[in-house]
Amino acid sequence: MSIKVSSVIKTYASQKALQDISFEASKGEIIGFLGPNGAGKSTMMKILTGFIKPNSGSVFVNEVNVIQTPQEAQKNIGYLPEHNPLYGDMYVREYLQFRASIFKIDKSQIETCIKKVGLQTEAHKKINQLSKGYQQRVGLAAAILHNPSVLILDEPTTGLDPNQLVEIRALIKELGKNKTVLFSTHIMQEVEAVCDKVIIIKKGTILIDENLDTLHENNKQTIAVSFDSAVSKEVLFTLPNLRDIEVKNSGWLLHFETEDDMRTVVFDFAREHHLKIVSLNAQTKNLETLFRELTTG
Ligand code: ADP
């Protein structure tokens, strides 16, 4: 396992930020860490990178105990904190040289990283002359200078314009080809575009920890239907490809396992059972809707 977090609890004075968090990441996975503001994402990331300690629980990165030996663990970890703290008056190359010298990294890495993040044309400029997208690239270059196998990126796409968003997402995906990446965001589409796995956190508790494929599989198609007279669940379960049924308002929510349009099948079912359809509505639940359902209220 690249990352193994077990039963982490963190409180700030009386504020509970993380309540019994456990999750794992395998080598080479890109994980979207998703949750509304205040959910505990940054706190978890600071604990993962060894910058703050939890009240209890354990954290391992590449089998190294982050809580007991943070500096040892940090050799394997690249971290881009929220709001990407950079020295605006420094030139890009100069800044990376400065970082390399603090962390005693071989300077030959600098050009490799500049290339990896696509900064070649901007590397001679001052950081504060760069667009926000290029500044994020500088942050990413700094995070990968020591060639860590695990990257922790705290909201790397916040504040970017749509083109920059696409570019930085592509870059994260590229970096994720041979690194384990955990990045936080509150944008579900971002997770869909980049990640293998999603962890949704709210009020310091994990609500979902799932591979995206499984999540898509489980949310293929839902039909909300109500009939003029009663019908039992047993009879409804004779519908093909039906995974689950819920009672909703005065009708049913039928969750199907197929992406084929099941509306006509439900019409035929109603006719066969002498039921009249009062309302019918197909809802293809995308992950954005799922996220909203889970994190609001
Ligand atoms: P997120 O990154 O998901 O927005 P945070 O980890 O920043 O969430 O915050 C989780 C909770 O912990 C919030 O209620 C926040 O106000 C609180 N919190 C975060 N950092 C501190 C701190 N240094 N002192 C006190 N409370 C904090």
Side-chain angles (χ1 to χ4, degrees), residues 12 15-17 35-44 46 82 155:
Y12 296 105
Q15 172 75 45
K16 280 188 183 163
N37 280 333
K41 302 182 296 298
S42 294
T43 301
M44 188 62 244
K46 287 180 207 159
E82 199 181 359
E155 298 196 16

Side-chain angles (χ1 to χ4, degrees), residues 122-141:
E122 310 293 305
H124 63 285
K125 293 188 185 167
K126 271 192 177 177
I127 292 175
N128 61 14
Q129 292 175 323
L130 303 182
S131 67
K132 178 90 171 68
Y134 276 106
Q135 291 187 355
Q136 287 303 81
R137 289 173 194 246
V138 177
L140 282 168

Side-chain angles (χ1 to χ4, degrees), residues 221-227 246 248-249 251-256 263 266 277-284:
Q221 186 180 176
T222 297
I223 291 185
V225 62
S226 54
F227 304 107
E246 285 176 74
K248 184 95 179 213
N249 304 327
W252 304 95
L253 283 184
L254 310 174
H255 301 290
F256 290 97
R263 286 174 298 181
V266 175
I277 291 177
V278 178
S279 67
L280 183 143
N281 194 344
Q283 316 170 336
T284 31

Side-chain angles (χ1 to χ4, degrees), residues 45-238:
M45 293 184 144
K46 287 180 207 159
I47 292 173
L48 257 173
T49 48
F51 288 102
I52 60 172
K53 289 198 190 299
N55 297 66
S56 59
S58 66
V59 180
F60 287 83
V61 169
N62 285 0
E63 323 292 333
V64 179
N65 189 324
V66 179
I67 299 168
Q68 285 172 4
T69 50
Q71 285 179 344
E72 190 56 30
Q74 282 162 2
K75 291 181 186 163
N76 292 316
I77 304 172
Y79 178 39
L80 178 62
E82 199 181 359
H83 309 307
N84 188 8
L86 294 169
Y87 295 106
D89 276 332
M90 279 184 140
Y91 292 91
V92 173
R93 228 178 229 110
E94 186 187 24
Y95 172 67
L96 294 174
Q97 278 161 359
F98 167 65
R99 292 273 304 208
S101 63
I102 305 178
F103 296 108
K104 301 190 173 55
I105 299 160
D106 182 354
K107 293 228 166 66
S108 66
Q109 277 305 305
I110 295 172
E111 292 309 312
T112 314
C113 292
I114 286 177
K115 266 199 211 114
K116 259 194 199 148
V117 303
L119 266 174
Q120 297 94 315
T121 56
E122 310 293 305
H124 63 285
K125 293 188 185 167
K126 271 192 177 177
I127 292 175
N128 61 14
Q129 292 175 323
L130 303 182
S131 67
K132 178 90 171 68
Y134 276 106
Q135 291 187 355
Q136 287 303 81
R137 289 173 194 246
V138 177
L140 282 168
I144 61 170
L145 266 182
H146 59 306
N147 199 18
S149 58
V150 174
L151 268 185
I152 310 286
L153 313 175
D154 198 350
E155 298 196 16
T157 58
T158 300
L160 300 184
D161 73 28
N163 293 332
Q164 296 167 344
L165 266 181
V166 172
E167 288 167 14
I168 295 294
R169 285 176 190 165
L171 181 54
I172 294 173
K173 201 157 181 156
E174 181 61 32
L175 293 173
K177 281 188 182 156
N178 42 31
K179 295 185 192 302
T180 306
V181 182
L182 180 81
F183 81 94
S184 65
T185 172
H186 18 229
I187 309 168
M188 190 72 205
Q189 292 104 308
E190 190 145 296
V191 174
E192 295 209 56
V194 180
C195 299
D196 306 303
K197 192 170 145 181
V198 61
I199 295 178
I200 301 183
I201 171 173
K202 181 185 173 185
K203 292 187 185 153
T205 307
I206 290 181
L207 302 180
I208 280 193
D209 175 354
E210 201 89 73
N211 283 330
L212 275 192
D213 289 348
T214 320
L215 215 55
H216 279 290
E217 199 65 21
N218 290 341
N219 288 287
K220 274 191 172 157
Q221 186 180 176
T222 297
I223 291 185
V225 62
S226 54
F227 304 107
D228 65 333
S229 48
V231 54
S232 70
K233 265 195 182 185
E234 288 70 30
V235 174
L236 284 167
F237 263 117
T238 61

